Amino acid sequence: MAGREPGTAYPSLALPEPGQQDDLLLFQQWLETAIPMAGRFGMQRLYWQDATLLCDVYLAPNLNDKGTGFGGSLMAQSTLLGWCWTTLWLRARGFRRDVVIAEATQRFLAPVTADYRLSCRAAEPEEPTRFAAQLDAHGKGRIKLVQQIHVDDRLCFEAIGDYAARPVGRRT
């Protein structure tokens, strides 16, 4: 949908069949069209490892003037991966919801000096169960997620974000 106007939502991707997982390659292709900036981050394939969503990322498109990872890119990518985690989790359970970041904090722990791995998981093991209960009771809810960036085994960046899911098209 090249040239869509601000305020015009991009068409949703069809939900997976009940009991089926999303095709992550198809989801990522949709994502990079629906959120054009996503295609410019150098994010490689999305993949799950247990309940953690991972993505390997090239450093080159995210360089700052010092030759390390630009903080703004790292923050945007962590927010995006949290949005993906939440959206994919909802889709796997048959929920079509609008997902937004409600609150986030970030810590920069070490310079990002090479291609890196970005990960996202629930902040606590009980978060998904609590989130599901909110959705069942109210049709909306919030979940706290942790995103991290590692270069090899070194933790360089950590973000904690609250993601809200609400009925599609609702502004509050």
Side-chain angles (χ1 to χ4, degrees):
M1 251 181 124
R4 84 174 187 258
E5 293 294 319
T8 303
Y10 193 79
S12 297
L13 189 61
L15 288 172
E17 293 295 322
Q20 298 292 313
Q21 291 286 333
D22 264 295
D23 175 331
L24 292 181
L25 180 58
L26 179 64
F27 179 81
Q28 189 169 351
Q29 290 169 345
W30 172 85
L31 176 70
E32 291 176 359
T33 305
I35 304 174
M37 183 171 55
R40 296 180 177 95
F41 282 137
M43 295 173 77
Q44 300 175 54
R45 70 180 178 95
L46 294 171
Y47 58 102
W48 288 101
Q49 189 172 56
D50 300 319
T52 300
L53 184 61
L54 297 141
C55 187
D56 297 321
V57 185
Y58 295 116
L59 175 59
N62 301 292
L63 289 172
N64 63 19
D65 58 318
K66 295 159 210 58
T68 61
F70 174 60
S73 288
L74 305 180
M75 290 187 303
Q77 289 166 19
S78 70
T79 300
L80 180 63
L81 196 66
W83 181 92
C84 289
W85 189 104
T86 307
T87 298
L88 289 165
W89 186 93
L90 289 163
R91 290 172 54 78
R93 287 148 186 84
F95 288 104
R96 183 182 308 278
R97 293 290 187 271
D98 283 336
V99 174
V100 297
I101 181 75
E103 186 175 346
T105 59
Q106 301 87 25
R107 295 181 329 149
F108 296 87
L109 304 166
V112 175
T113 57
D115 294 347
Y116 50 97
R117 185 180 65 255
L118 178 58
S119 65
C120 181
R121 61 175 170 73
E124 300 292 335
E126 66 276 1
E127 283 287 323
T129 302
R130 191 180 56 75
F131 187 43
Q134 291 173 355
L135 291 163
D136 288 342
H138 308 289
K140 63 182 181 177
R142 284 172 73 143
I143 188 165
K144 186 177 296 247
L145 303 174
V146 174
Q147 300 87 34
Q148 295 180 325
I149 290 176
H150 286 86
V151 173
D152 298 320
D153 291 329
R154 186 183 67 218
L155 177 62
C156 298
F157 172 89
E158 183 173 69
I160 298 173
D162 283 349
Y163 291 80
R166 59 187 184 206
V168 174
R170 195 163 164 200
R171 298 271 185 222
T172 58

